[in-house]
């Protein structure tokens, strides 16, 4: 059975655009239920400005608790700058995801940086946090809310620059859910062919109901790391038109049924999603039906 690493991003992407503050205990209980389902990779929070995303103001407490309570789980956080990276390291995390948008206008809207500033920022993070495993999330890889279609050569140029800086781990992010399977195939195949030493994951939003088919296409092209969010929550507050991520419970259902080894139990994953549903007021796309597998 082929192993697929399903990275749960619900506690970060899923929660970041929920207006009402989700009590820290609810976030931690959701993470607990995810770990109980067998999830071993979780993006637990983001170390961002509370002025940009107030929901993540408890990042430190969430991260510190996760590191202590679930040492067997790979916990990561999204960081937009050196300050976020240092705070994440201080909280005990060792896996950092730095976000840079392929589209210059979304990079500006999201983290107020030009590409040159983002590269400088990343250099600093790599220098100041040598113990960190750094992944770069390439936001708007497939399309941008402001610039529309993003060409493959734009993605390739950015990956090449980052590769030159020593980055070997990337997520191709469909921030607004603009991709279709043909584009996913083209971009994923090109990345795997041109950067065989690097690891690529996909992070797909489900705006047009293509989250599942896009993720599956990526897997069939050779990707073994995929991201999803419990309940199908998610969306970038600085990307108009974005909707939720592909739902973890539906994805686990599909992958397990197809014989992939995710290490995650569908019924327990559904339990985690239902817990979140009962405690967090958001836009859900995950299906709540329990079917014996
Ligand atoms: N953590 C906490 N606070 C931070 C911070 C961080 N990593 N980085 C900056 N800040 C604080 C600053 O201290 C400052 O606070 P003050 O106004 O009380 O002095 C404020 O945030 C603004 O900082 P500044 O350096 O002027 O940056 P900015 O206003 O250009 O904002 C970011 C840049 C990156 C900090 C901000 O845009 C951000 O956090 N974006 C996150 C976007 C995001 O998470 N998007 C969704 C995921 S893709
Ligand atoms: Zn996202």
């Amino acid at each position: 059975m082929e192993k697929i690493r399903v990275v749960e991003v619900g506690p970060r992407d899923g929660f970041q655009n929920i207006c009402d503050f989700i009590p820290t205990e609810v976030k931690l209980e959701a993470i607990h239920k995810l770990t109980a389902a067998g999830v071993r990779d979780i993006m637990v929070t983001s170390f961002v400005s509370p002025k940009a995303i107030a929901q993540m103001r408890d990042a430190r407490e969430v991260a510190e608790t996760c590191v202590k309570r679930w040492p067997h789980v790979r916990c990561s956080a999204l960081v937009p700058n050196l300050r976020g990276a240092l705070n994440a390291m201080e909280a005990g995390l060792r896996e950092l995801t730095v976000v840079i948008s392929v589209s210059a206008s979304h990079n500006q809207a999201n983290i107020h940086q030009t590409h040159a500033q983002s590269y400088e920022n990343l250099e600093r993070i790599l220098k100041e946090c040598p113990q960190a495993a750094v992944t770069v999330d390439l936001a708007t890889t497939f399309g941008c809310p402001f610039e529309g279609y993003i060409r493959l050569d734009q993605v390739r140029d950015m990956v090449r620059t980052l590769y030159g800086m020593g980055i070997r781990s990337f997520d191709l992010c469909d921030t607004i859910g603009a991709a279709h399977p043909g584009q996913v195939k083209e971009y994923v195949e090109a990345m795997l062919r041109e950067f065989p030493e690097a690891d690529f994951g996909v992070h797909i939003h489900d705006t047009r109901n293509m989250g599942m088919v896009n993720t599956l296409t990526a897997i069939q092209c050779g990707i073994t790391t995929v991201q999803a969010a419990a309940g199908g929550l998610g969306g970038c507050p600085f990307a108009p038109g974005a909707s939720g991520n592909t739902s973890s419970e539906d994805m686990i259902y599909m992958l397990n049924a197809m014989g992939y080894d995710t290490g995650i139990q569908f019924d327990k994953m559904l339990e985690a999603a239902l817990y979140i549903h009962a405690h967090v007021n958001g836009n859900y796309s995950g299906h709540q039906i329990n079917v014996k597998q």
Side-chain angles (χ1 to χ4, degrees), residues 267-290:
D267 53 347
K268 294 223 167 126
M269 183 72 228
L270 187 61
E271 242 176 78
L274 291 176
Y275 171 82
I276 295 169
H277 206 292
H279 292 84
V280 176
N281 183 19
N283 285 326
Y284 290 84
S285 68
H287 298 84
Q288 299 181 16
I289 304 149
N290 195 356

Side-chain angles (χ1 to χ4, degrees), residues 109-121:
N110 194 35
I111 51 171
H112 310 164
Q113 290 168 13
T114 62
H115 283 157
Q117 287 169 326
S118 282
Y119 296 144
E120 246 177 67
N121 189 37

Side-chain angles (χ1 to χ4, degrees), residues 12-13 16 46-53 56 78-87 99-101 106-113 121 137 139 175 203 235-238:
R12 194 278 296 175
D13 203 329
Q16 73 187 7
S46 52
F47 285 83
V48 295
S49 162
K51 283 187 183 145
I53 310 232
M56 296 293 148
L78 183 134
V79 300
N81 54 18
L82 177 61
R83 173 157 166 206
L86 291 173
N87 289 345
V99 59
I100 307 177
S101 307
H106 185 260
N107 207 45
Q108 199 56 247
N110 194 35
I111 51 171
H112 310 164
Q113 290 168 13
N121 189 37
D137 259 13
T175 309
H203 170 106
C236 172
F238 309 103

Side-chain angles (χ1 to χ4, degrees), residues 5 7-8 11 28 31-32 35 39-45 47 59 62-78 88-89 91-97 132-133:
R5 176 175 167 239
V7 180
E8 171 63 43
L28 290 169
I31 294 169
H32 167 68
T35 63
V39 179
R40 290 295 173 266
D41 288 271
I42 308 180
M43 194 176 281
V44 294
T45 188
F47 285 83
V62 169
E64 278 179 348
T65 310
C66 289
V67 169
K68 268 195 222 115
R69 260 195 226 167
W70 301 293
H72 54 297
V73 174
R74 285 172 71 176
C75 294
S76 63
L78 183 134
M89 295 296 283
L93 295 179
R94 289 296 171 268
E95 304 227 4
L96 308 182
T97 293

Side-chain angles (χ1 to χ4, degrees), residues 226-247:
V226 301
Q227 301 196 340
L233 289 179
C236 172
F238 309 103
S243 78
N245 289 270
T246 312
S247 104

